[in-house]
Amino acid sequence: MKPHQQEQVIEAYFSQEKGIAYSWGRVHMGACDFSRGNWSCVEQEGDTELKSFSIERYRSAMLPMIKRAQEVAERPLQLIASPWSPPAWMKDTGRMQAGGILKDDFKSSWAQHYVRFAQAMQEEGAPLWGFTVQNEPHATTPWENCLYDGNMERDFVRDHLGPALEGSGLDLKLLVWDHNRDEMFARAHTIYSDPEAAKYVWGIGYHWYGDPRFEFWPAREGMTLFDNVRKVHELRPDKHIIMTEACQETGPRIGDWQLGERYAEAIIKDLEGWLEAWIDWNLILDERGGPNHVQNLVSAPVIFDTERGKMLYLSSFYYIGQFSRYIKPGAQRISTSSSRDKLEATGFVNPDGSVVCVVLNQ
């Protein structure tokens, strides 16, 4: 992209005056499927002391983009980091992709890796707000992943990651699960039931994939899993809930209005279920829904047509903006009801006293 086009994307997302005023974001710690190939921040095998740790891969594009977004936003961004996989040599499979678990011998080193990453990002002027333990810990996929069942994630937080983050001296929040709505209650129950693990956990993150209503897109009627968000709140009202990833699967969906309606329906229902923040997945992709090193092509609210050199703002961009531009950080949700079953609504009072109501009519 040309520099002025890159600047246009930053302004569209992060400007409070001209854009949709994003204030949150998520970065991958190590490679993910949308990275340029398969890599980690500690490539040297057996380096348990993390002497070879480096975030050099972030310096060419990712860090400059984050810092420019902060400048345009005119406020600090709340950045969550998530690992897709530990370095291959820390896993029982010897691979970052296609499943596998973290070896017992490397759990302490892996926990310290989170601390080193947070320290490095802070030194670069992009401090983190917090971490999720693991992106999609229940999925074996062709891209980078690492499996944790509820007991494994609980024990890793209690015995390794929680103490490491607490001992770092950094103010870092920790979210568990970071996967779909379907099993978020079970995972929350397992971890919150152990007080020694729960004391390190700020809350739970989740994704929107796998909901039967949207499994075969466009949306079809049927059971939904939105109630699980509310049930997790009821389980532990003192803990917090954040949507940590959402995107429309199977290609970019250029020109499709239902794409935006899916976002609006999900955001409204989740906000009404005690959600506190919503983070979308990719900010921008090409006309194929990539690049992606395993061809897991999806949609983003902004698509750049590389053949024509043209920026495309999809319906999802404008629908998300109805929330992010008007509901300010620190807003308090208020009770909202609808007089017609076709209308879905949520309401907030902003810190300045202004009242915002977002209404969807599908």
Side-chain angles (χ1 to χ4, degrees):
M1 297 174 66
K2 296 177 181 177
H4 78 274
Q5 292 172 322
Q6 294 176 341
E7 188 69 12
Q8 185 180 340
V9 174
I10 297 291
E11 189 173 85
Y13 273 120
F14 296 99
S15 172
Q16 297 183 60
E17 297 299 324
K18 301 178 181 178
I20 60 174
Y22 271 20
S23 58
W24 285 77
R26 183 166 176 248
V27 296
H28 48 91
M29 182 172 73
C32 70
D33 47 325
F34 288 91
S35 300
R36 290 179 174 177
N38 193 230
W39 52 270
S40 78
C41 298
V42 185
E43 297 281 8
Q44 185 177 320
E45 188 168 348
D47 180 14
T48 57
E49 296 181 6
L50 310 181
K51 292 179 179 179
S52 61
F53 178 89
S54 172
I55 59 166
E56 187 61 36
R57 289 179 182 268
Y58 293 78
R59 292 196 174 101
S60 62
M62 286 183 273
L63 281 166
M65 177 267 164
I66 291 170
K67 286 189 270 190
R68 183 60 188 139
Q70 290 173 331
E71 292 171 0
V72 170
E74 298 182 315
R75 60 187 173 190
L77 299 178
Q78 310 295 323
L79 297 177
I80 294 177
S82 301
W84 266 241
S85 173
W89 55 269
M90 288 190 182
K91 294 173 67 181
D92 65 339
T93 57
R95 299 181 62 198
M96 292 180 72
Q97 295 164 244
I101 64 173
L102 177 64
K103 289 183 177 181
D104 289 341
D105 292 347
F106 300 124
K107 287 179 179 178
S108 293
S109 295
W110 181 230
Q112 287 300 322
H113 184 290
Y114 293 72
V115 175
R116 290 290 300 275
F117 188 79
Q119 291 169 336
M121 293 293 283
Q122 182 165 296
E123 290 168 3
E124 293 288 340
L128 299 179
W129 174 89
F131 284 100
T132 68
V133 178
Q134 167 65 42
N135 176 71
E136 299 188 348
H138 203 219
T140 299
T141 59
W143 54 90
E144 295 80 359
N145 46 68
C146 185
L147 303 178
Y148 294 81
D149 65 22
N151 294 334
M152 293 163 65
E153 185 174 17
R154 176 200 63 204
D155 294 352
F156 179 59
V157 167
R158 183 191 63 211
D159 301 335
H160 300 282
L161 183 54
L165 295 180
E166 186 176 69
S168 71
L170 299 171
D171 181 16
L172 295 165
K173 310 295 191 295
L174 184 62
L175 297 169
V176 295
W177 186 226
D178 200 17
H179 207 159
N180 297 336
R181 292 188 190 94
D182 53 2
E183 296 183 35
M184 66 185 293
F185 181 85
R187 185 61 58 106
H189 187 272
T190 297
I191 295 172
Y192 291 162
S193 294
D194 184 337
E196 291 304 306
K199 69 182 183 182
Y200 296 116
V201 177
W202 186 83
I204 191 166
Y206 68 98
H207 303 179
W208 75 356
Y209 314 112
D211 191 321
R213 174 164 163 74
F214 299 109
E215 192 171 6
F216 301 99
W217 200 86
R220 64 177 174 83
E221 294 302 323
M223 182 191 74
T224 69
L225 298 169
F226 292 108
D227 277 353
N228 284 352
V229 180
R230 176 182 53 79
K231 289 176 180 178
V232 168
H233 169 76
E234 291 171 350
L235 176 69
R236 284 293 297 269
D238 58 317
K239 299 294 187 182
H240 307 270
I241 304 173
I242 290 180
M243 166 66 80
T244 45
E245 182 187 313
C247 71
Q248 178 59 54
E249 310 90 324
T250 62
R253 306 285 184 173
I254 295 169
D256 214 317
W257 205 253
Q258 284 182 296
L259 171 63
E261 291 188 341
R262 178 184 182 185
Y263 271 91
E265 178 183 358
I267 294 172
I268 287 173
K269 287 182 175 175
D270 284 346
L271 287 172
E272 290 293 297
W274 299 91
L275 176 76
E276 295 178 45
W278 175 286
I279 303 175
D280 195 38
W281 187 200
N282 291 281
L283 293 169
I284 182 167
L285 294 171
D286 66 23
E287 69 275 14
R288 295 174 59 248
N292 184 289
H293 73 82
V294 292
Q295 302 308 303
N296 179 33
L297 305 176
V298 302
S299 184
V302 181
I303 297 293
F304 184 69
D305 187 332
T306 58
E307 293 185 2
R308 295 187 294 164
K310 184 178 180 181
M311 207 95 68
L312 305 174
Y313 293 87
L314 305 194
S315 59
S316 50
F317 176 85
Y318 295 102
Y319 274 74
I320 292 171
Q322 293 294 322
F323 301 89
S324 61
R325 183 171 169 82
Y326 300 103
I327 303 172
K328 306 296 184 182
Q332 176 69 49
R333 185 168 62 87
I334 55 177
S335 183
T336 307
S337 65
S338 174
S339 58
R340 297 291 184 273
D341 60 5
K342 298 290 186 185
L343 303 180
E344 301 165 68
T346 189
F348 285 81
V349 175
N350 282 322
D352 66 0
S354 59
V355 176
V356 177
C357 187
V358 186
V359 184
L360 170 66
N361 182 355
Q362 296 194 65

